Amino acid sequence: MEKFDVVVVGGGMIGAASAQGFALQGLRVLMIESYVPEAYQPSQALDLRVSAISHASVQLLKQLQAWPAICAMRVCPYQQLQVWEDPLDKLIFDSAQLDLSELGFMVENRIIQLGLWQANQLSGVVCRIAKQSQLVSNTSEGVVLSVDGSEITAKLLAVADGANSSMRQQLGLGITAWDYRHDCFAINVKLDAPQQMATWQQFFPSGPRAFLPLANQHAALIWYDAKDTVRGLKQLNKLQLKKRIEAEFPRLPGSIEILDSGSFALTRRHVNRYLKQSAVVIGDAAHTINPLAGQGVNLGYRDVKCLLAQIEHYGLANKSKALRSFNVRRRPDNLMMQTGMDLFYLLFSNSLTPVQRLRQLAIKGAQGSGPIKDWALKYALGDI
């Protein structure tokens, strides 16, 4: 029987970050993942799954000693965020508002994961690639897991194996969930324009369309639309899709070459309980939100930061207090962000004329709101 202080189930962006943080606290950590991420090569195509990493999340990744490895691969800073329905009335957030060099970075999910795995190796995290992890017992003293037939014990179990978490199901925590009526269609393109430093989003009656700048004059075009429409877009060849983009997407900074595309279902989930005895769920295993504002992974990193702080403060000997403190801090914040994004989604997916007028007034009012606008930007960046 192998003994650890902490077992982290899931080696993605959130799991690997929490494992790294625990290891830097001097704890013996086991991280369980089902596969080894493919090593980085500069010639590799960009992933379709991209995250807008906020200023606060970057600071966390620096503290976890992973950011240099991530930057050595592929990142794209962005300095401005623009939102509009009517092109004449834009809500613009700029890094200069807060005297920052950038608002954040657009980074492929796997690049973040790879950077954290490199840091994990240096900090002594034990990584186990396993096909099956079964929860044997979970008491206030600790957990026992069967990992591909080997028995593992730990004082704390951190569950970070994603939105369809198997370990969350084994814990019997339950979730509240529903699908949004839109799907997300992501298109990676090469631009013939200079490197872009702004990300933007325009709202249409059928759903928003967004532009995410990526490294080396690349970009991700995000097209939210009805599920049937997205299914139709997926059937188009690259030439047909380019014509649809030119006809129906907001004006792009130059011509594009389509490299890859794919679709993702949009689902809202929130676990009914974050804690059970010696187990805690974090990141997408605990909550997923509408990606309109790109806050999903940043909420996960808020979870990581908070959990690490509570364990460091109380110690594993008092982990029940640490976990209760984590729950008190994180559940309301995650719920508020979920609710805010749902209201945002409902407001901008309504085609009634009075609601459209309300949206236009809201955007115009927000643009001139001064301190309120600054507060909203700081909250989105995780600085509040």
Side-chain angles (χ1 to χ4, degrees):
M1 179 183 293
E2 294 181 86
K3 296 183 179 181
F4 293 87
D5 294 314
V6 183
V7 170
V8 178
V9 176
M13 295 187 292
I14 303 302
S18 60
Q20 175 70 2
F22 288 129
L24 291 177
Q25 290 179 7
L27 302 175
R28 178 163 165 74
V29 183
L30 171 67
M31 182 175 73
I32 302 171
E33 179 53 89
S34 59
Y35 72 100
V36 177
E38 183 182 359
Y40 173 74
Q41 295 292 337
S43 59
Q44 287 172 339
L46 278 75
D47 273 7
L48 285 169
R49 291 190 177 272
V50 176
S51 292
I53 301 301
S54 72
H55 180 257
S57 295
V58 170
Q59 296 309 306
L60 175 64
L61 290 167
K62 287 179 179 179
Q63 292 168 16
L64 297 176
Q65 303 173 7
W67 189 245
I70 294 169
C71 283
M73 289 180 274
R74 213 158 41 195
V75 303
C76 177
Y78 66 97
Q79 298 172 334
Q80 199 173 84
L81 167 62
Q82 304 175 10
V83 179
W84 73 90
E85 184 171 22
D86 180 346
L88 297 178
D89 287 315
K90 292 185 179 182
L91 175 58
I92 300 175
F93 296 98
D94 196 290
S95 57
Q97 279 180 241
L98 303 179
D99 294 323
L100 298 173
S101 56
E102 66 279 318
L103 294 178
F105 292 81
M106 296 294 177
V107 193
E108 299 153 73
N109 290 3
R110 72 180 188 88
I111 297 294
I112 299 171
Q113 181 188 25
L114 284 169
L116 285 163
W117 276 51
Q118 289 183 32
N120 289 164
Q121 290 179 332
L122 295 174
S123 63
V125 173
V126 178
C127 181
R128 187 75 46 84
I129 304 302
K131 295 179 180 178
Q132 210 170 35
S133 300
Q134 295 292 328
L135 181 66
V136 177
S137 69
N138 175 26
T139 69
S140 60
E141 298 300 315
V143 297
V144 179
L145 299 176
S146 176
V147 181
D148 281 352
S150 298
E151 202 161 89
I152 306 289
T153 68
K155 298 171 185 176
L156 175 66
L157 171 65
V159 179
D161 53 343
N164 298 311
S165 171
S166 170
M167 188 56 66
R168 180 190 65 217
Q169 295 175 26
Q170 292 184 53
L171 286 164
L173 298 175
I175 60 169
T176 301
W178 64 78
D179 287 338
Y180 295 100
R181 65 182 180 88
H182 288 135
D183 275 359
C184 171
F185 189 54
I187 311 145
N188 277 358
V189 301
K190 174 72 173 177
L191 299 168
D192 69 352
Q195 179 66 45
Q196 299 297 295
M197 301 295 286
T199 180
W200 48 254
Q201 187 163 236
Q202 182 174 2
F203 292 93
F204 292 83
S206 58
R209 285 155 213 179
F211 175 91
L212 312 181
L214 301 176
N216 305 322
Q217 295 174 271
H218 289 77
L221 310 182
I222 309 298
W223 190 330
Y224 301 96
D225 217 313
K227 295 178 184 294
D228 287 345
T229 301
V230 171
R231 276 194 289 268
L233 291 171
K234 289 172 64 178
Q235 302 305 312
L236 302 177
N237 61 38
K238 289 184 178 181
L239 179 59
Q240 292 169 328
L241 180 57
K242 183 177 179 180
K243 289 181 177 178
R244 284 287 296 272
I245 292 169
E246 291 171 344
E248 301 180 41
F249 219 81
R251 185 177 178 181
L252 296 171
S255 184
I256 60 169
E257 174 191 355
I258 294 176
L259 304 176
D260 196 10
S261 63
S263 67
F264 311 101
L266 304 180
T267 303
R268 183 206 202 266
R269 298 179 181 87
H270 205 170
V271 69
N272 294 337
R273 298 168 58 194
Y274 282 29
L275 319 173
K276 188 172 183 180
Q277 300 287 17
S278 295
V280 58
V281 289
I282 58 176
D284 281 358
H287 46 78
T288 60
I289 67 171
N290 194 301
L292 281 173
Q295 288 299 306
V297 70
N298 295 309
L299 281 183
Y301 282 137
R302 291 190 194 190
D303 289 352
V304 171
K305 183 178 179 180
C306 182
L307 180 59
L308 293 174
Q310 302 316 307
I311 293 297
E312 184 172 34
H313 178 73
Y314 289 100
L316 282 179
N318 293 305
K319 67 172 180 285
S320 61
K321 288 184 179 180
L323 296 183
R324 287 197 299 270
S325 180
F326 167 82
N327 184 67
V328 166
R329 285 166 168 77
R330 292 306 307 142
R331 188 174 188 87
D333 184 52
N334 289 329
L335 186 59
M336 183 170 73
M337 182 64 80
Q338 282 186 317
T339 303
M341 288 302 99
D342 287 345
L343 290 173
F344 200 61
Y345 171 80
L346 290 171
L347 178 64
F348 281 93
S349 61
N350 193 308
S351 59
L352 292 175
T353 301
V355 179
Q356 289 179 326
R357 182 56 181 161
L358 177 63
R359 291 196 297 260
Q360 292 167 1
L361 290 173
I363 288 177
K364 184 176 291 187
Q367 176 62 17
S369 63
I372 297 175
K373 181 182 171 186
D374 289 349
W375 181 91
L377 180 56
K378 287 180 181 179
Y379 180 74
L381 296 181
D383 292 336
I384 293 178

